[in-house]
Amino acid sequence: MSTESREILKRVFGYSSFRGDQEAIVDAAVEGRDSLVVMPTGGGKSLCYQIPSLLRDGTGLVVSPLIALMQDQVAALKELGIAAEFLNSSQDPDEQRAIIGRLQRRELDLLYMAPERLVGQGTRALLRDSPIALIAIDEAHCVSQWGHDFRRDYLELNELGRLFPGVPRMALTATATERTREEIVERLELRDPGTYVAPFDRANIRYTVQAKTDARRQLLGFLKSHRGHAGIVYCLSRKKTESTAEWLNNEGFNALPYHAGLDTGVRSENQRRFLAEDGLIVVATIAFGMGIDKPDVRFVAHLDLPKSMESYYQETGRAGRDGEPADAWMVYGLQDVVRLRQMLDESDADDAYKRHERQKLDALLGWCEVTGCRRAPLLAYFGDRLAEDCGNCDGCLVPAETWDGTEAAQKLLSAVYRTGQRFGAAHVVDVLLGKTTDKVVQHGHAELSVFGIGQDLDAKTWRSVVRQLIVGNFIRADAERYGAIVLTEDSRALLRGERSVRFRKEPKAPGRSSRRVTVVSTSIRAEDQDLWEALRECRQRLAAEHAVPPYVIFHDKTLAEMIAVKPRNAAELLEISGIGQAKLERYGDEFLAVLHGSEAAESANR
Ligand code: ADP
Ligand code: ZN
């Protein structure tokens, strides 16, 4: 059995080995057993049900809540020569009838549908008379009433077990908490399912977080290593997405804005272009990204803080789904913290909710200030462990230096106390630096004992001290009083000298990521640059002809491998990752022609 699934992996998908538990999951389904599959985004969930659907008798049914994703997946499968279709409300009755006809004639390998479709009486009756190979339930966490993606229709999917006895069911999700897992098994009534939980880690994503000094300049520095790459830049406000996109265009990047306030037509056009064109940057609010499945997003940059670790992980998870190196890069500053807390305080939510959300924000802030490996605490937050430091985050690559900040902290806490816990960080820092501003004069703060005691440090360092003391919960910015800094319980021990603190040194120049060596394996040597462009042009042309995004033709990785290997004929092309039989037949000649000039390709084929 394994040999059969491996043969399909190679022949149809063009891959030479399974990843992680994929093979065991495929085997379980082929043998007719239920399973629960928990894999991070980009882990390779789809193969787990696609291959058994090809191996077992009948059609594989895939329940998926996102109509846009369905269309993309089906288009990609057709490119692989797989008989796949979807049923949803966007089709007229004739189209639907034609698809159901093919289902009944056993002509379909895979059929995607939305959950509300599957629970409808009419569809069920039809399906009962059709041979079903397996039922895959994607985004299975949607059954969880506690989760943020709850969908009522998913609750009715439990009946599938009774309606199709003997048909294996596979529930798949990227949401890993223990509780959600149990809920899925229980509510979907999976029968003694094999459970496969892949490591939560996205090892190919490099995490970098910097203090915000000059966000745009820092972003430019970061983008140097991502020329021509597709990426997402997240901002908090709609206005900022537009101004940032415009500025990026002026800087020579190809950038488009995306937010919920854009005209629907413009919005979907921008999303379409992001998928269809190479190397586009979308500057977006968090409204962007749901239901896009672009595998070659090379970076996700945050110009503003997300609101929790969960949001951060989800948003950055959109990078590098193809498993190739990708960057998650973020700048954050005190302003973000104050603003997010303020937004929270001003919302109409109840107190318990606000407290909960504040804790989530604090967890994220604490993580931003981490001094060692960044990945370890990130995974720990989600209940996963990392055996050793990852070597692929800023903490590992450019270890932060720390300094003993006890005395500085005491000075700052004293200044907060002496000025009456009524002022924001900027004023407190002015007092420490001994600046006679209007405000200082107005409140008589030049007479205080703390006035000017902080001249050993500069304003930037003091702001960093404030930020780290907030994260450490020694002070807090009181949103009800316009961000006034107030002391917390924990500050006492510090003030009394009963405990010490260490702060992380801020990097001297912004954009330290630009110093590092890029290890993007798809990066192309200078002498191959022309060939690379020619291959990408060929891909873009074929993509337009077939009305699919370029990555559906071939991933960057496949093109890069072509350059490295220079395959001379069909057999050698088949050795390259991502080239299976169908794609070889469809595109092989075109790419050989680009690689060797058209005559060489013809003679190789003879
Ligand atoms: P998920 O649904 O878990 O987010 P996908 O199924 O979309 O992930 O897979 C992510 C990417 O990894 C896809 O581009 C897919 O072709 C690729 N992939 C999956 N399994 C393998 C494998 N065994 N070898 C190489 N590439 C793989
Ligand atoms: Zn690390």
Side-chain angles (χ1 to χ4, degrees), residues 457-473:
L457 302 177
D458 62 9
K460 189 176 145 223
T461 309
W462 278 119
R463 279 197 296 276
S464 150
V465 168
V466 171
R467 212 170 45 236
Q468 298 190 56
L469 284 175
I470 290 180
V471 168
N473 196 35

Side-chain angles (χ1 to χ4, degrees), residues 591-604:
F591 282 91
L592 284 176
V594 175
L595 284 166
H596 303 288
S598 38
E599 283 161 51
E602 272 163 33
S603 67

Side-chain angles (χ1 to χ4, degrees), residues 227-371:
R227 281 261 166 212
H229 288 172
I232 306 173
V233 176
Y234 281 113
C235 304
L236 204 54
S237 74
R238 296 173 177 185
K239 220 169 90 194
K240 188 165 166 186
T241 64
E242 292 186 8
S243 59
T244 307
E246 194 186 319
W247 165 75
L248 278 173
N249 281 315
N250 291 337
E251 293 290 337
F253 292 90
N254 219 343
L256 295 170
Y258 187 100
H259 58 76
L262 284 177
D263 177 73
T264 327
V266 176
R267 210 169 58 201
S268 55
E269 173 62 7
N270 287 1
Q271 170 154 333
R272 189 197 64 74
R273 285 187 56 194
F274 184 60
L275 295 175
E277 292 173 26
D278 267 338
L280 217 62
I281 298 176
V282 165
V283 187
T285 59
I286 50 171
F288 183 73
M290 269 308 282
I292 65 149
D293 207 352
K294 187 173 166 63
D296 55 355
V297 175
R298 292 272 68 83
F299 65 89
V300 169
H302 280 92
L303 285 184
D304 293 305
L305 265 184
K307 59 186 175 41
S308 64
M309 296 282 270
E310 284 86 350
S311 313
Y312 175 78
Y313 203 74
Q314 189 177 39
E315 285 151 31
T316 56
R318 291 173 184 142
R321 294 181 64 127
D322 54 9
E324 291 296 293
D327 267 299
W329 180 91
M330 175 159 77
V331 285
Y332 85 105
L334 200 53
Q335 235 75 56
D336 291 326
V337 182
V338 173
R339 186 152 48 135
L340 280 172
R341 289 204 175 145
Q342 207 163 355
M343 278 168 61
L344 197 59
D345 285 322
E346 285 166 2
S347 79
D348 327 314
D350 64 48
D351 284 349
Y353 175 83
K354 286 184 188 172
R355 205 164 33 242
H356 188 61
E357 291 297 300
R358 193 169 304 126
Q359 280 164 2
K360 284 184 162 182
L361 176 59
D362 288 346
L364 176 67
L365 288 171
W367 181 76
C368 288
E369 297 286 349
V370 152
T371 47

Side-chain angles (χ1 to χ4, degrees), residues 9 15 17-19 22 40-47 295 321-322 555:
L9 181 71
Y15 298 139
S17 58
F18 282 107
R19 273 190 201 155
Q22 277 179 335
T41 310
K45 285 186 282 297
S46 356
L47 284 185
R321 294 181 64 127
D322 54 9
H555 284 180

Side-chain angles (χ1 to χ4, degrees), residues 207 372-377 386 388-397:
Y207 298 98
C373 176
R374 218 173 256 297
R375 190 179 308 268
L386 195 65
E388 50 190 29
D389 287 356
C390 76
N392 192 27
C393 71
D394 55 353
C396 286
L397 294 167

